[in-house]
Amino acid sequence: MFKWIQGGISAVTGMAEPEYGASHLHSATARLTESKINPYSKASPEKKDFDFQNPQNTNVETATFYLNDLDTGYCGFAQIIHSNIGITTSAQFTFKLYNNKIEGFKQIWTSTKLENFSIQENGKDFKADNLDLQWTDDNCLKLQSEVNPESLVTLIFKPLTDGVKFGKDPHTYYGPSIEESWGSMRHVYMPRCSVEGSITNLKTGLVVDLTAGRTFGLYVMALQNMKPHHAAKEWKFVWFVNEKESLALMQFQTPRSYANGIVSTAIITDEDKVICCPVENETILIDEYKDEETGWSFAKEIDYKLKGHLIKEEDEEEAKVDADAAVEFELKGPLTTVIERVDVMNEVPQFVKNIVSGVAATKPFIYQYYTEDLTLTRSDKKDAEIKGTAWVEVTYIVDEREQQQQ
């Protein structure tokens, strides 16, 4: 979700849009459910699914490496942010590391501007001074960054399952039609990877050698090809993982301009298989309580209900579902630890803050949680209760309650 932070001017300028209505939202998930086609297509670097799209108009594109070491408790993410704000292109490396098992551990958070950056000729690799992201010949991802002495990072992500994109075209489009769109959103995933590598903080002397075979990762490439507060008013994200299973959910809700439409995608894996990709999901925050400083809310629990069909068979391009194998998953439990409440406006320059004062009710905050107490259940296996740890984010961008009062 940190692509919002480094969006620069594109993230905060522009007045509220007219109310175009649901007819101007063409979501990847609606195309799947309406046409009854397969829930996902296999994504791979050979097919250029993981290339940087790099459109010439205003956009923010991110490559995010989520990681979780089940033995040591270290979890977090590394992220490359590539932004085009119309007048210039910039790039940033952000990194966060958290540990719930070490008493008194203070999270590592760095955000560093990249110099002399470029997308490489093959479209998928990325280089900058002291940073290198590349796909290896055996389709592993290798990230090495020495741009900040507090977060020296070497990560190797080896995919354990197929890559995933929802439908043949994973874009959600905004505008009168797909052909006449004026903006879009795109996500492509490597939903379960094994992770090797190390993290070093030269300031504190911390060295983390990730546990081979017990550290898992999620890789997400995302493109936000329009102003973020026009594309979505809020986001929900969860990445749940244990030794055998994982679940990733990415959901956003559009502003009133696009009828508060919801685009929700989830990927559930078991061992080395993607078993279900639900797109009809209900995400409930339980026992919310008001954050008096922001006007938004914290939550004490989540109850996420996902509906889909089990994957029946796969070929080289896409997966086929079993029409008779409808299944419901439920991810439920307490959000035991608030990692951080991120004030996005603290992360952008002062002149951008001055501009945002003219954008009604735009006040972005990211609420990050970590929990070891979630349980995943499924309707086709009544006795199965799957335990795991999870990184949970709830992002608020536009407060439409305020807009209505103004």
Side-chain angles (χ1 to χ4, degrees):
M1 297 301 101
F2 275 82
K3 55 181 172 288
W4 216 100
I5 290 178
Q6 297 299 337
I9 296 177
S10 68
V12 293
T13 57
M15 303 304 289
E17 292 189 291
E19 291 192 28
Y20 302 108
S23 64
H24 281 55
L25 180 68
H26 313 279
S27 78
T29 57
R31 294 196 297 277
L32 285 169
T33 55
E34 288 170 2
S35 63
K36 305 297 183 185
I37 66 172
N38 300 319
Y40 79 92
S41 298
K42 295 183 181 181
S44 70
E46 294 93 343
K47 294 188 291 184
K48 298 187 176 298
D49 294 311
F50 292 95
D51 284 14
F52 285 84
Q53 303 300 293
N54 195 26
Q56 298 307 301
N57 53 288
T58 297
N59 72 85
V60 184
E61 192 162 16
T62 58
T64 309
F65 298 76
Y66 293 94
L67 62 94
N68 190 331
D69 188 322
L70 299 183
D71 284 340
T72 66
Y74 285 105
C75 62
F77 63 84
Q79 184 177 66
I80 295 170
I81 304 167
H82 187 262
S83 304
N84 182 338
I85 62 173
I87 56 176
T88 185
T89 301
S90 62
Q92 199 88 1
F93 176 72
T94 62
F95 179 79
K96 173 164 280 195
L97 188 69
Y98 175 77
N99 195 311
N100 194 49
K101 293 183 177 181
I102 300 177
E103 186 175 352
F105 178 81
K106 293 183 178 180
Q107 65 173 339
I108 297 174
W109 161 242
T110 64
S111 181
T112 311
K113 183 180 179 182
L114 297 178
E115 303 290 347
N116 298 317
F117 58 87
S118 63
I119 298 167
Q120 299 301 285
E121 250 182 67
N122 63 11
K124 60 182 67 67
D125 294 347
F126 186 94
K127 289 184 181 294
D129 288 351
N130 299 311
L131 182 141
D132 188 12
L133 164 63
Q134 62 174 306
W135 285 86
T136 64
D137 292 339
D138 55 353
N139 283 340
C140 294
L141 272 159
K142 184 175 182 180
L143 174 68
Q144 189 156 10
S145 175
E146 297 179 353
V147 299
N148 192 306
E150 295 183 37
S151 54
L152 305 180
V153 176
T154 298
L155 297 175
I156 299 173
F157 272 47
K158 180 180 180 180
L160 298 175
T161 67
D162 291 325
V164 170
K165 60 182 180 182
F166 283 81
K168 295 183 183 299
D169 177 5
H171 287 83
T172 287
Y173 295 97
Y174 299 73
S177 66
I178 292 177
E179 294 72 24
E180 303 171 282
S181 65
W182 51 57
S184 63
M185 199 86 74
R186 178 183 188 267
H187 291 90
V188 183
Y189 307 85
M190 279 294 181
R192 187 173 174 91
C193 304
S194 65
V195 182
E196 296 180 7
S198 64
I199 299 156
T200 303
N201 184 333
L202 292 181
K203 182 178 180 180
T204 63
L206 174 71
V207 178
V208 178
D209 290 318
L210 299 173
T211 308
R214 294 279 294 169
T215 306
F216 296 97
L218 163 70
Y219 180 64
V220 185
M221 285 210 75
L223 171 66
Q224 197 158 249
N225 197 17
M226 62 191 297
K227 295 179 178 67
H229 59 292
H230 289 174
K233 73 171 189 176
E234 67 177 48
W235 291 79
K236 290 176 182 173
F237 169 77
V238 60
W239 178 45
F240 167 91
V241 64
N242 64 21
E243 297 90 340
K244 184 181 176 184
E245 297 95 355
S246 61
L247 182 155
L249 177 140
M250 186 83 72
Q251 175 176 302
F252 63 91
Q253 184 173 19
T254 71
R256 191 165 52 246
S257 304
Y258 302 96
N260 294 141
I262 293 177
V263 180
S264 186
T265 56
I267 306 166
I268 301 163
T269 69
D270 187 350
E271 298 286 2
D272 61 349
K273 297 287 186 182
V274 176
I275 62 169
C276 192
C277 288
V279 297
E280 297 177 278
N281 308 318
E282 181 183 15
T283 57
I284 301 172
L285 301 175
I286 299 174
D287 290 338
E288 293 183 272
Y289 58 101
K290 188 174 182 179
D291 181 347
E292 297 294 342
E293 293 185 34
T294 68
W296 297 118
S297 295
F298 291 96
K300 293 183 179 179
E301 297 182 45
I302 62 169
D303 187 1
Y304 289 1
K305 299 176 181 179
L306 320 175
K307 295 181 180 180
H309 287 77
L310 295 178
I311 307 302
K312 181 180 181 180
E313 58 182 279
E314 301 177 358
D315 57 30
E316 292 184 358
E317 293 298 323
E318 54 193 11
K320 303 184 188 310
V321 299
D322 186 342
D324 297 321
V327 62
E328 297 182 12
F329 292 85
E330 184 173 22
L331 184 67
K332 187 175 183 179
L335 301 175
T336 50
T337 305
V338 178
I339 301 173
E340 187 176 10
R341 181 197 65 194
V342 181
D343 182 351
V344 174
M345 295 310 296
N346 280 342
E347 304 292 337
V348 297
Q350 183 60 47
F351 78 94
V352 177
K353 297 179 188 180
N354 295 338
I355 295 171
V356 80
S357 62
V359 183
T362 301
K363 48 178 189 178
F365 282 84
I366 303 170
Y367 292 78
Q368 295 178 328
Y369 306 87
Y370 175 78
T371 178
E372 297 179 327
D373 299 316
L374 295 188
T375 300
L376 178 65
T377 57
R378 47 191 292 180
S379 59
D380 62 331
K381 295 184 178 181
K382 297 294 186 181
D383 296 330
E385 287 193 352
I386 301 166
K387 302 290 186 179
T389 64
W391 183 280
V392 180
E393 290 183 353
V394 180
T395 302
Y396 300 105
I397 300 174
V398 180
D399 191 344
E400 293 184 334
R401 300 166 300 180
E402 282 192 15
Q403 286 182 335
Q404 291 174 336
Q405 293 171 3
Q406 294 176 353

